[in-house]
Amino acid sequence: MNVRVAVAGATGRLGTLVCQVVEETPGFELVARLRSTSAPEEGATADVLVDVSHPEASAAIVARAIERGQRVIVGTSGWSADRLAVLEASLAERPGSGAIVVPNFSLGSVLGTALARIAAPYFDAAEIIEAHHPHKVDSPSGTAVRTAELMAEARAAKGLGPIEAPFAEQPARGELIAGIPVHSLRLAGVVAKQEVRFGGPGEVLTVTHDTHSNEAYRAGIRAALTAAAGCEGLTVGLDALLGLGGATA
């Protein structure tokens, strides 16, 4: 039998692509295209709900899906560490339930974040610059937030303190995420780009990833769909699905 999939945010840029991938992938069936005007019960017959909606609506959509016993893939931004903790607690109350939260479906972006995590313990200064198209409704991006959190975790695992952020109280220095300044750009002509710049005595290391089109997300969407049907508990990031979760130097 095919895995039945409902997509929340189906009319958006990413939602349209997710629907295409579901329809093109053997073993999966698209049973509902959900939008902001859809009734709460729509998509209730699906085995998997993919949420690529809006940061303000995402939490309620995901909670409703979990209560119905659906597996969930979350591709919406705005899932901070605090919100993830609430989601993990909710899943723990329902044995057998599962959710995969994907800050970025691009394989290259996932690898870029893994490289930044590896480098973080070796530099005491780092900043993140992320750029997206002008229609992206949130900032900083979920990818930048996740990257900063993983960098901080990597340093803590080696007994190191936070990244240096001089003059962090100045608004122009960027929003601090896990102690790391993050700068967001929203520009026409950009799909997505992230730079993580590390500074050390006499050198700068830059880890850069550019997304040139939404085609970059297809492989990651397929990987998440394949994993979702049997997932249990909370999985965060494609890195866990690709075996990069423990990447270290």
Side-chain angles (χ1 to χ4, degrees):
M1 293 180 61
N2 286 342
V3 176
R4 296 166 298 176
V5 181
V7 179
T11 58
R13 291 177 178 221
L14 184 54
T16 300
L17 179 62
V18 171
C19 290
Q20 292 175 3
V21 173
V22 172
E23 292 178 322
E24 295 168 358
T25 303
F28 293 88
E29 177 186 0
L30 182 64
V31 296
R33 299 173 185 260
L34 309 177
R35 59 185 69 191
S36 59
T37 56
S38 297
E41 64 272 14
E42 290 188 49
T45 62
D47 303 305
V48 174
L49 175 90
V50 182
D51 170 49
V52 284
S53 58
H54 189 283
E56 294 181 1
S58 181
I61 291 171
V62 171
R64 191 161 53 240
I66 291 173
E67 289 174 2
R68 292 193 296 232
Q70 295 172 312
R71 298 298 204 281
V72 180
I73 299 171
V74 183
T76 304
S77 290
W79 284 81
S80 63
D82 290 341
R83 182 180 279 192
L84 289 172
V86 173
L87 175 57
E88 187 170 26
S90 176
L91 293 168
E93 294 173 356
R94 298 169 176 81
S97 62
I100 301 173
V101 178
V102 184
N104 196 310
F105 286 103
S106 160
L107 302 185
S109 176
V110 172
L111 289 167
T113 293
L115 292 172
R117 183 174 62 211
I118 290 171
Y122 300 97
F123 293 87
D124 290 328
E127 305 202 13
I128 298 173
I129 304 165
E130 59 95 352
H132 282 79
H133 56 85
H135 302 293
K136 185 171 176 60
V137 297
D138 63 314
S139 62
S141 69
T143 302
V145 170
R146 181 65 177 162
T147 301
E149 291 173 346
L150 289 175
M151 288 166 59
E153 288 178 12
R155 290 181 61 82
K158 290 187 177 292
L160 300 172
I163 290 283
E164 292 181 3
F167 305 107
E169 74 283 356
Q170 297 178 1
R173 293 289 296 113
E175 180 178 346
L176 285 182
I177 304 294
I180 299 169
V182 180
H183 310 267
S184 296
L185 311 178
R186 296 294 175 262
L187 299 170
V190 175
V191 176
K193 179 172 184 173
Q194 178 168 287
E195 295 183 19
V196 185
R197 299 186 184 182
F198 296 92
E203 62 180 347
V204 172
L205 170 67
T206 303
V207 179
T208 302
H209 176 260
D210 283 281
T211 301
H212 298 294
S213 81
N214 285 350
E215 291 298 304
Y217 305 135
R218 285 184 179 272
I221 293 170
R222 283 193 294 269
L225 286 170
T226 301
C231 72
E232 293 189 11
L234 177 63
T235 301
V236 181
L238 282 183
D239 51 343
L241 304 183
L242 300 174
L244 296 172
T248 185

